[in-house]
Amino acid sequence: MTTNEFFTSVYSWFCDQTIPVFKALGNCIIDDELVLSSSFPAIGFTTLIVSFVVAFAFYIWPINHPRFKAWWSWLIMLGVNAAINFGLAFAYVHHRLADINKDEEVIEYFTGDDKLSLPFSQWMDFALANLCVSIMFFILASLILTWFSTNCRLSPFRS
C-alpha cells in the first residue's frame, strides 16, 4: 500500500464529498505530476508532524509543568492542534488551487474556463476531515509520549 492510498483511505473515513473531486482532478497527468491526488499524503504528513509537535510541547517541553497535568489542559492542547490543522488544510487547498490557476495549460485541460474552483462546502469538508485526522494523530501521540513525561504522565488517561 502506498502512502497515497493509505492517506486517501484515512481521509475517506471523514470526507466522502471531497474524495471524488480530488481523485477526478488527480487523474490528470501534466508533466508526469499528479495535480491534486498528491494532496492527501502532503497534508497527512503535515498533520502528523504538527500533532506530534503539539503533543511533544505538552508532554515533554516546554509546557510540561505540574500545573498543566489536569485533563482540561490536555483538552486545550487538543483544541489548539485541531485548530492549527483545520487552518492548514483550508490554506493548503487554497494554495494548490492558486497554483493550478496560474498554469494556463492545466486550466484549459480541466475546464476550458479561465479559472478552476471548488465549492466552499468541499473546502470545509476537507478541512473538517483534516481536523478529525489530527485528533486521531494527537491521541496516538499522547499515548506514546505519556511514557516520557515527568509531570503530565497521567494526563488525560488516569489509571
Side-chain angles (χ1 to χ4, degrees), residues 1 6 12 18 33 38 47 49-51 56 66 87 105 112-114 117 124 134-135 146 150:
M1 175 182 267
F6 172 74
S12 69
T18 306
E33 180 182 332
S38 62
T47 301
I49 290 168
V50 168
S51 297
F56 183 85
E105 293 176 16
D113 297 335
D114 59 344
S117 64
M124 188 63 73
S134 73
I135 289 172
T146 54
T150 55

mmCIF file of all heavy atoms in Angstrom, residues 1 6 12 18 33 38 47 49-51 56 66 87 105 112-114 117 124 134-135 146 150:
data_model
loop_
_atom_site.group_PDB
_atom_site.id
_atom_site.type_symbol
_atom_site.label_atom_id
_atom_site.label_comp_id
_atom_site.label_asym_id
_atom_site.label_seq_id
_atom_site.Cartn_x
_atom_site.Cartn_y
_atom_site.Cartn_z
ATOM 1 N N MET A 1 0.849 -1.173 0.000
ATOM 2 C CA MET A 1 0.000 0.000 0.000
ATOM 3 C C MET A 1 0.897 1.239 0.000
ATOM 4 O O MET A 1 1.771 1.366 0.839
ATOM 5 C CB MET A 1 -0.908 -0.011 1.238
ATOM 6 C CG MET A 1 -1.734 1.233 1.390
ATOM 7 S SD MET A 1 -2.756 1.242 2.863
ATOM 8 C CE MET A 1 -4.253 0.592 2.196
ATOM 9 N N PHE A 6 -2.881 4.994 1.464
ATOM 10 C CA PHE A 6 -3.125 4.994 2.911
ATOM 11 C C PHE A 6 -3.857 6.258 3.338
ATOM 12 O O PHE A 6 -4.902 6.195 4.000
ATOM 13 C CB PHE A 6 -1.802 4.858 3.677
ATOM 14 C CG PHE A 6 -1.957 5.048 5.152
ATOM 15 C CD1 PHE A 6 -2.533 4.063 5.938
ATOM 16 C CD2 PHE A 6 -1.540 6.227 5.761
ATOM 17 C CE1 PHE A 6 -2.689 4.247 7.307
ATOM 18 C CE2 PHE A 6 -1.690 6.414 7.117
ATOM 19 C CZ PHE A 6 -2.263 5.423 7.897
ATOM 20 N N SER A 12 -10.929 9.256 3.574
ATOM 21 C CA SER A 12 -12.250 8.838 3.098
ATOM 22 C C SER A 12 -13.173 8.455 4.255
ATOM 23 O O SER A 12 -14.386 8.425 4.082
ATOM 24 C CB SER A 12 -12.129 7.687 2.111
ATOM 25 O OG SER A 12 -11.700 6.516 2.760
ATOM 26 N N THR A 18 -15.358 15.267 -0.688
ATOM 27 C CA THR A 18 -14.152 15.820 -1.294
ATOM 28 C C THR A 18 -13.350 14.770 -2.049
ATOM 29 O O THR A 18 -12.728 15.080 -3.050
ATOM 30 C CB THR A 18 -13.270 16.459 -0.208
ATOM 31 O OG1 THR A 18 -14.056 17.395 0.510
ATOM 32 C CG2 THR A 18 -12.098 17.182 -0.811
ATOM 33 N N GLU A 33 3.259 14.783 -13.343
ATOM 34 C CA GLU A 33 2.958 15.133 -11.962
ATOM 35 C C GLU A 33 1.447 15.093 -11.776
ATOM 36 O O GLU A 33 0.711 15.673 -12.556
ATOM 37 C CB GLU A 33 3.482 16.529 -11.643
ATOM 38 C CG GLU A 33 3.207 16.949 -10.230
ATOM 39 C CD GLU A 33 3.713 18.366 -9.966
ATOM 40 O OE1 GLU A 33 4.672 18.784 -10.614
ATOM 41 O OE2 GLU A 33 3.114 19.031 -9.121
ATOM 42 N N SER A 38 -1.960 14.119 -5.065
ATOM 43 C CA SER A 38 -0.859 14.077 -4.107
ATOM 44 C C SER A 38 -1.159 14.913 -2.865
ATOM 45 O O SER A 38 -0.326 14.999 -1.968
ATOM 46 C CB SER A 38 0.429 14.588 -4.769
ATOM 47 O OG SER A 38 0.256 15.931 -5.162
ATOM 48 N N THR A 47 -0.075 17.056 8.947
ATOM 49 C CA THR A 47 -0.951 16.891 10.104
ATOM 50 C C THR A 47 -0.304 16.007 11.160
ATOM 51 O O THR A 47 -0.364 16.306 12.356
ATOM 52 C CB THR A 47 -2.307 16.297 9.659
ATOM 53 O OG1 THR A 47 -2.894 17.180 8.704
ATOM 54 C CG2 THR A 47 -3.245 16.101 10.825
ATOM 55 N N ILE A 49 2.932 15.524 11.671
ATOM 56 C CA ILE A 49 4.050 16.238 12.287
ATOM 57 C C ILE A 49 3.552 17.304 13.257
ATOM 58 O O ILE A 49 4.053 17.407 14.390
ATOM 59 C CB ILE A 49 4.962 16.845 11.202
ATOM 60 C CG1 ILE A 49 5.706 15.728 10.468
ATOM 61 C CG2 ILE A 49 5.946 17.850 11.791
ATOM 62 C CD1 ILE A 49 6.414 16.171 9.207
ATOM 63 N N VAL A 50 2.564 18.087 12.845
ATOM 64 C CA VAL A 50 2.026 19.134 13.724
ATOM 65 C C VAL A 50 1.427 18.515 14.986
ATOM 66 O O VAL A 50 1.647 19.011 16.101
ATOM 67 C CB VAL A 50 0.991 20.001 12.977
ATOM 68 C CG1 VAL A 50 0.222 20.891 13.931
ATOM 69 C CG2 VAL A 50 1.673 20.838 11.914
ATOM 70 N N SER A 51 0.701 17.413 14.842
ATOM 71 C CA SER A 51 0.094 16.764 16.006
ATOM 72 C C SER A 51 1.149 16.253 16.985
ATOM 73 O O SER A 51 1.008 16.412 18.201
ATOM 74 C CB SER A 51 -0.800 15.611 15.557
ATOM 75 O OG SER A 51 -1.853 16.085 14.777
ATOM 76 N N PHE A 56 4.273 16.828 21.857
ATOM 77 C CA PHE A 56 5.612 16.912 22.437
ATOM 78 C C PHE A 56 5.723 18.161 23.306
ATOM 79 O O PHE A 56 6.287 18.120 24.402
ATOM 80 C CB PHE A 56 6.675 16.930 21.327
ATOM 81 C CG PHE A 56 8.075 16.937 21.839
ATOM 82 C CD1 PHE A 56 8.707 15.748 22.173
ATOM 83 C CD2 PHE A 56 8.774 18.131 21.983
ATOM 84 C CE1 PHE A 56 10.007 15.751 22.655
ATOM 85 C CE2 PHE A 56 10.065 18.148 22.459
ATOM 86 C CZ PHE A 56 10.692 16.952 22.799
ATOM 87 N N PRO A 66 3.644 20.782 36.408
ATOM 88 C CA PRO A 66 2.610 20.158 37.264
ATOM 89 C C PRO A 66 1.266 20.872 37.211
ATOM 90 O O PRO A 66 0.221 20.254 37.397
ATOM 91 C CB PRO A 66 3.205 20.251 38.667
ATOM 92 C CG PRO A 66 4.660 20.379 38.477
ATOM 93 C CD PRO A 66 4.858 21.072 37.160
ATOM 94 N N GLY A 87 -6.892 24.959 9.906
ATOM 95 C CA GLY A 87 -6.425 26.092 9.118
ATOM 96 C C GLY A 87 -5.413 25.690 8.054
ATOM 97 O O GLY A 87 -5.430 26.211 6.934
ATOM 98 N N GLU A 105 -2.071 26.058 -19.213
ATOM 99 C CA GLU A 105 -2.254 24.767 -19.876
ATOM 100 C C GLU A 105 -3.108 23.830 -19.036
ATOM 101 O O GLU A 105 -3.948 23.100 -19.557
ATOM 102 C CB GLU A 105 -0.902 24.117 -20.148
ATOM 103 C CG GLU A 105 -0.061 24.849 -21.158
ATOM 104 C CD GLU A 105 1.306 24.202 -21.318
ATOM 105 O OE1 GLU A 105 1.470 23.043 -20.886
ATOM 106 O OE2 GLU A 105 2.196 24.860 -21.859
ATOM 107 N N GLY A 112 -11.490 24.342 -19.648
ATOM 108 C CA GLY A 112 -11.642 25.237 -20.777
ATOM 109 C C GLY A 112 -12.003 26.635 -20.323
ATOM 110 O O GLY A 112 -12.027 27.570 -21.101
ATOM 111 N N ASP A 113 -12.312 26.798 -19.042
ATOM 112 C CA ASP A 113 -12.616 28.121 -18.494
ATOM 113 C C ASP A 113 -11.313 28.812 -18.117
ATOM 114 O O ASP A 113 -10.231 28.274 -18.255
ATOM 115 C CB ASP A 113 -13.512 27.994 -17.257
ATOM 116 C CG ASP A 113 -14.869 27.378 -17.597
ATOM 117 O OD1 ASP A 113 -15.277 27.502 -18.764
ATOM 118 O OD2 ASP A 113 -15.485 26.799 -16.699
ATOM 119 N N ASP A 114 -11.454 30.006 -17.579
ATOM 120 C CA ASP A 114 -10.258 30.737 -17.202
ATOM 121 C C ASP A 114 -9.887 30.540 -15.737
ATOM 122 O O ASP A 114 -8.878 31.058 -15.288
ATOM 123 C CB ASP A 114 -10.426 32.227 -17.498
ATOM 124 C CG ASP A 114 -11.608 32.828 -16.760
ATOM 125 O OD1 ASP A 114 -12.452 32.064 -16.280
ATOM 126 O OD2 ASP A 114 -11.672 34.064 -16.683
ATOM 127 N N SER A 117 -12.211 26.143 -9.792
ATOM 128 C CA SER A 117 -12.656 26.411 -8.424
ATOM 129 C C SER A 117 -13.345 25.180 -7.861
ATOM 130 O O SER A 117 -13.843 24.333 -8.595
ATOM 131 C CB SER A 117 -13.604 27.608 -8.381
ATOM 132 O OG SER A 117 -14.781 27.316 -9.089
ATOM 133 N N MET A 124 -14.512 23.075 3.102
ATOM 134 C CA MET A 124 -14.850 22.884 4.515
ATOM 135 C C MET A 124 -14.865 21.406 4.865
ATOM 136 O O MET A 124 -14.408 21.019 5.942
ATOM 137 C CB MET A 124 -16.218 23.515 4.802
ATOM 138 C CG MET A 124 -16.569 23.546 6.261
ATOM 139 S SD MET A 124 -15.444 24.538 7.242
ATOM 140 C CE MET A 124 -15.915 26.164 6.756
ATOM 141 N N SER A 134 -6.382 14.932 12.586
ATOM 142 C CA SER A 134 -5.425 15.496 13.537
ATOM 143 C C SER A 134 -5.761 15.095 14.968
ATOM 144 O O SER A 134 -4.853 14.887 15.783
ATOM 145 C CB SER A 134 -5.372 17.016 13.414
ATOM 146 O OG SER A 134 -6.523 17.623 13.953
ATOM 147 N N ILE A 135 -7.022 14.957 15.289
ATOM 148 C CA ILE A 135 -7.413 14.485 16.618
ATOM 149 C C ILE A 135 -6.948 13.047 16.820
ATOM 150 O O ILE A 135 -6.420 12.701 17.880
ATOM 151 C CB ILE A 135 -8.938 14.627 16.823
ATOM 152 C CG1 ILE A 135 -9.303 16.103 16.959
ATOM 153 C CG2 ILE A 135 -9.417 13.836 18.028
ATOM 154 C CD1 ILE A 135 -10.789 16.386 16.971
ATOM 155 N N THR A 146 3.144 9.961 26.724
ATOM 156 C CA THR A 146 2.894 9.956 28.166
ATOM 157 C C THR A 146 3.967 9.183 28.922
ATOM 158 O O THR A 146 4.254 9.483 30.072
ATOM 159 C CB THR A 146 1.518 9.345 28.517
ATOM 160 O OG1 THR A 146 1.414 8.059 27.927
ATOM 161 C CG2 THR A 146 0.403 10.217 28.070
ATOM 162 N N THR A 150 7.374 13.764 32.677
ATOM 163 C CA THR A 150 7.617 13.713 34.123
ATOM 164 C C THR A 150 6.431 14.237 34.908
ATOM 165 O O THR A 150 6.075 13.674 35.943
ATOM 166 C CB THR A 150 8.864 14.546 34.472
ATOM 167 O OG1 THR A 150 8.695 15.870 33.966
ATOM 168 C CG2 THR A 150 10.110 13.918 33.898
#
